[in-house]
Amino acid sequence: MRYARGVRVVPVYFDPVVLRHDPGPYHPETAHRLQVVVETFRQDGRRVEAPPAPERTLKAVERVHDPAYVQRLAALCRHAPADFEGPFALFDCPDNPISAGTFEASLRAVSLTLAATDTVVAGRAASVFVAARPPGHHAFASRAMGYCFLNTIAIAAKDLIEHHGVSRVLVADFDVHHGNGTQQLFWEDGRVAYLSVHRYPFYPGTGAADEEGVGRGRGATKNVPLPAGAGDAKYAGGFAVALETLSERFRPEVVLVSAGFDAHASDPIGGMRVTTEGFAWMTRALEDVAEAFAGGRIVSLLEGGYHPEAMAASAAEHVRVLARTGGLM
Ligand SMILES: [Zn+2]
């Protein structure tokens, strides 16, 4: 064992405001899924907190998204039909119904994540898990897609660079879907590395192994496409090797995680066979990299996951691993 084994506090950031996005009863990305996750964390004895939104939140959003796009979403939600519950319009694509609370929920997901990065940068906790929705990794600078409106993880990565002065941020994404929005936003950047393990070919169609960035960003994008039905062995192997190789070259100062649990064997959408233990294994690999390069600093953000109980059990295990000190157990 490399380090003394122990337990540290990993706060969970959550605010009921994120439940106000309501895409309707037939949509998989429900408020209920997050309520199950948060309840599981509470039963696990986790500290669940709602830190105040950093004042710079909107400014941070507009470093990634076109301000006209942000205004379009905000104004549409503000003018939702009075006394109307649930979705009242589709935004940019059929997967993205919006309700009166969509913009405030999306913005709160961002502010919770910025607060989490503030916490780890200040050293008040080594890692924080952000239990928020809607997810973000499919969102582009001026287009919503795949249940996502604001690309929360990308906003946090850019804010770490522009606001906190961090030089290199790694975004690791184990959601079953490729984070096409995140990849696109940092394609030519070089200061934010993006690693994704995902089912391929699959929605949204991108994420082939030869997609690796251009210009200064060349080599900072790493995709690990896996066939349908892949389980723990393929996932853990592909993810760990790519994570280690990319991190040794890139030397991230902070690790951000797009933690989607829709690769779980019980998920109705993902078509993969990852178990709770598989997510724990990937989390240990992330911990090892964070300990080696980033002073242990990890902010992990919930993305997809559509079997509430399987997702909650996996997220709880993910945070249990983050809370243990010592990379080898
Ligand atoms: Zn997903």
Side-chain angles (χ1 to χ4, degrees), residues 137 175-177 262 304 306:
H137 71 159
D175 187 282
V176 77
H177 302 100
D262 40 7
Y306 303 101

Side-chain angles (χ1 to χ4, degrees), residues 120-143:
V120 302
V121 167
R124 292 191 296 271
S127 39
V128 177
F129 186 80
V130 183
R133 62 182 284 278
H137 71 159
H138 297 306
F140 293 100
S142 52
R143 184 158 57 92

Side-chain angles (χ1 to χ4, degrees), residues 95 135-140 145-148 151 153 171-187 193-213 220-226 235 239 246 258-263 269-270 272 303-306:
D95 288 341
H137 71 159
H138 297 306
F140 293 100
M145 185 181 176
Y147 315 167
C148 304
N151 195 319
I153 207 82
V171 176
D173 185 337
F174 57 70
D175 187 282
V176 77
H177 302 100
H178 179 241
N180 55 332
T182 312
Q183 172 171 295
Q184 175 61 38
L185 287 163
F186 299 112
W187 188 244
Y194 179 63
L195 166 67
S196 178
V197 59
H198 48 267
R199 179 173 163 186
Y200 182 88
F202 196 45
Y203 184 90
T206 47
D210 63 357
E211 295 170 22
E212 54 181 24
T221 292
K222 174 72 189 164
N223 285 297
V224 183
L226 295 177
Y235 251 88
F239 184 71
L246 181 61
S258 270
F261 297 96
D262 40 7
I269 290 179
M272 297 303 228
E303 296 273 4
Y306 303 101

Side-chain angles (χ1 to χ4, degrees), residues 32-224:
H32 172 71
R33 56 191 276 284
L34 190 53
Q35 287 167 315
V36 175
V37 167
V38 171
E39 187 49 39
T40 304
F41 280 131
R42 290 206 168 105
Q43 284 168 7
D44 233 23
R46 297 282 157 223
R47 217 168 68 197
V48 179
E49 302 170 22
E55 272 178 32
R56 67 184 189 283
T57 299
L58 191 58
K59 186 178 165 196
V61 168
E62 293 184 345
R63 278 201 206 101
V64 164
H65 291 280
D66 179 355
Y69 166 81
V70 178
Q71 275 316 306
R72 184 161 63 88
L73 178 61
L76 207 55
C77 292
R78 207 165 43 238
H79 296 116
D83 301 325
F84 187 87
E85 292 213 356
F88 66 92
L90 297 175
F91 191 75
D92 286 357
C93 79
D95 288 341
N96 285 46
I98 57 169
S99 65
T102 298
F103 183 67
E104 59 177 339
S106 301
L107 200 61
R108 190 64 177 120
V110 171
S111 69
L112 288 169
T113 309
L114 295 180
T117 57
D118 290 352
T119 295
V120 302
V121 167
R124 292 191 296 271
S127 39
V128 177
F129 186 80
V130 183
R133 62 182 284 278
H137 71 159
H138 297 306
F140 293 100
S142 52
R143 184 158 57 92
M145 185 181 176
Y147 315 167
C148 304
F149 298 90
L150 299 179
N151 195 319
T152 306
I153 207 82
I155 294 163
K158 194 125 191 183
D159 181 75
L160 277 164
I161 295 202
E162 304 286 344
H163 176 77
H164 285 294
V166 169
S167 302
R168 292 176 308 280
V169 178
L170 170 66
V171 176
D173 185 337
F174 57 70
D175 187 282
V176 77
H177 302 100
H178 179 241
N180 55 332
T182 312
Q183 172 171 295
Q184 175 61 38
L185 287 163
F186 299 112
W187 188 244
E188 301 179 48
D189 193 303
R191 297 170 299 174
V192 177
Y194 179 63
L195 166 67
S196 178
V197 59
H198 48 267
R199 179 173 163 186
Y200 182 88
F202 196 45
Y203 184 90
T206 47
D210 63 357
E211 295 170 22
E212 54 181 24
V214 297
R216 277 174 303 155
R218 189 171 181 82
T221 292
K222 174 72 189 164
N223 285 297
V224 183

